[in-house]
Amino acid sequence: GVANDLLTTLVLATDAPIALAPAMNQAMWRDAATQANLELLQGRGMRLFGPASGSQACGDVGLGRMLEPNDLALLAADCFQRQALDGLHILITAGPTQENIDPVRYITNHSSGKMGFALAEAAAEAGAKVTLVSGPVHLPTPDRVSRIDVVSARDMLAACETAMPCDVLIAAAAVADYRPEVVAQHKLKKDPSSGEGMLLQMVRNPDILATIAGRDDRPFSVGFAAETENLLEYASRKLRDKNLDLIVANDVANPSIGFNSEENAITVIDRELQQISFAQTSKGKIARQLITLIAERLNKN
Ligand code: C5P
């Protein structure tokens, strides 16, 4: 209440939540004056981050050390969480898969992983425990998300099965539907006897989403339908065929919201074929809107 410097002036003037991170000598911390002041401030709704115990700058050992900056940052972030997904385990697939042809070549697609990573970040912000199974991408792991890197569709399925059980699966990965039947042990050479062409025999990959959504312990299952035509028709067909709770349809023919873009616009379809549309905005915002919708549906169930 003195307000004779910038910090205490701000504390008096703000409507924001206030947290205290004590940093002092152990005897000062123990002192009755400090403890009485603390009780008063906590009674006014101020939160307490720490202090930690351990060796102190003056050579003493005991309670009074400031928490590590990273712990303070995480505790501060917690003040803003809506916690709509508290206590839930959310499994998210993201990025492309790579299917090897030989030791130097592979088949892949244009997925950047941005949507899946934005969803992982939003789910962690909403209080969920998040496992992110990602194909090869160039993205940093969001805070408090445990990430498993994989290469092929079969690796991705194995990683998802290991991460089960989960409450929600969001399959945002662009999984290769087919892989070369045989992966050549050595680099394939140009074969003059086969003329100008080359034939590569492909076989179907497992459908990760349909496999997990078909289990007895199936989670609330959310798929993506990235289409270039007949968007809503193909999306509703996938919802039914893969036994999903929600499908997120997006039109990848539109370059401003397609693969590798910064923005997205989506229409979500549920089992009653009700459509919920989210207008074009950043993938981060779309992710938060989608996580809010999933949390509402989980609460309804
Ligand atoms: O059938 P389609 O590939 O269009 O379905 C897209 C949805 O299915 C996405 O959610 C994608 O992550 C998932 N999928 C999958 N495993 C596959 C193919 C697609 O999990 N092999």
Side-chain angles (χ1 to χ4, degrees):
V2 175
N4 61 348
D5 59 18
L6 178 63
L7 178 64
T8 53
T9 303
L10 282 176
V11 166
L12 267 191
T14 186
D15 289 328
I18 300 173
L20 305 161
M24 67 186 79
N25 166 269
Q26 53 86 23
M28 292 169 72
W29 174 251
R30 255 192 298 120
D31 190 89
T34 311
Q35 291 302 314
N37 286 340
L38 183 68
E39 210 170 297
L40 184 67
L41 293 172
Q42 283 185 301
R44 289 179 188 157
M46 294 196 190
R47 297 162 213 232
L48 188 65
F49 293 172
S53 187
S55 56
Q56 305 198 308
C58 54
D60 281 6
V61 175
L63 261 184
R65 281 167 59 91
M66 192 187 82
L67 290 186
E68 293 303 320
N70 201 39
D71 295 333
L72 290 179
L74 291 179
L75 286 166
D78 282 342
C79 297
F80 298 95
Q81 283 176 5
R82 291 179 304 101
Q83 307 299 355
L85 296 180
D86 228 353
L88 298 183
H89 179 207
I90 314 272
L91 177 60
I92 299 176
T93 67
T97 63
Q98 281 178 4
E99 309 295 334
N100 285 341
I101 298 171
D102 67 17
V104 296
R105 304 179 180 103
Y106 54 79
I107 291 173
T108 190
N109 59 65
H110 291 298
S111 170
S112 62
K114 283 176 194 157
M115 195 62 229
F117 275 60
L119 283 162
E121 187 168 0
E125 262 172 33
K129 169 178 175 260
V130 181
T131 306
L132 175 62
V133 179
S134 177
V137 296
H138 302 282
L139 293 172
T141 310
D143 273 348
R144 285 170 295 171
V145 165
S146 66
R147 168 172 172 181
I148 304 167
D149 285 322
V150 295
V151 176
S152 70
R154 287 189 295 175
D155 296 344
M156 190 173 268
L157 175 60
C160 288
E161 286 178 324
T162 306
M164 287 289 286
C166 69
D167 301 287
V168 179
L169 167 67
I170 308 177
V175 184
D177 290 325
Y178 295 89
R179 66 175 182 276
E181 184 170 31
V182 182
V183 181
Q185 282 215 325
H186 298 287
K187 187 179 168 190
L188 293 175
K189 293 294 181 202
K190 289 183 232 26
D191 179 1
S193 70
S194 67
E196 287 305 304
M198 176 199 172
L199 217 57
L200 191 62
Q201 182 67 34
M202 308 279 279
V203 290
R204 277 299 284 270
N205 262 331
D207 190 306
I208 299 159
L209 176 57
T211 305
I212 304 278
R215 287 170 52 133
D216 290 341
D217 62 349
R218 79 183 283 283
F220 184 92
S221 302
V222 183
F224 274 73
E227 304 290 348
T228 54
E229 55 176 359
N230 304 333
L231 180 62
L232 299 179
E233 183 198 329
Y234 287 162
S236 357
R237 201 180 298 165
K238 268 173 210 170
L239 176 88
R240 193 189 58 224
D241 292 349
K242 300 193 190 209
N243 188 26
L244 308 180
D245 297 281
L246 296 176
I247 190 135
V248 182
N250 68 325
D251 177 5
V252 287
N254 175 348
S256 70
I257 56 172
F259 280 120
N260 220 344
S261 63
E262 294 305 322
E263 298 203 325
N264 207 349
I266 57 172
T267 299
V268 184
I269 304 173
D270 67 14
R271 279 176 181 264
E272 282 73 49
L273 300 183
Q274 192 196 335
Q275 295 177 13
I276 308 112
S277 292
F278 297 109
Q280 180 167 346
T281 181
S282 71
K283 286 186 172 172
K285 279 201 190 128
I286 290 275
R288 286 196 288 273
Q289 289 167 338
L290 195 54
I291 290 294
T292 304
L293 177 71
I294 291 170
E296 280 167 13
R297 293 305 172 102
L298 285 173
N299 285 338
K300 244 194 234 168
N301 289 353

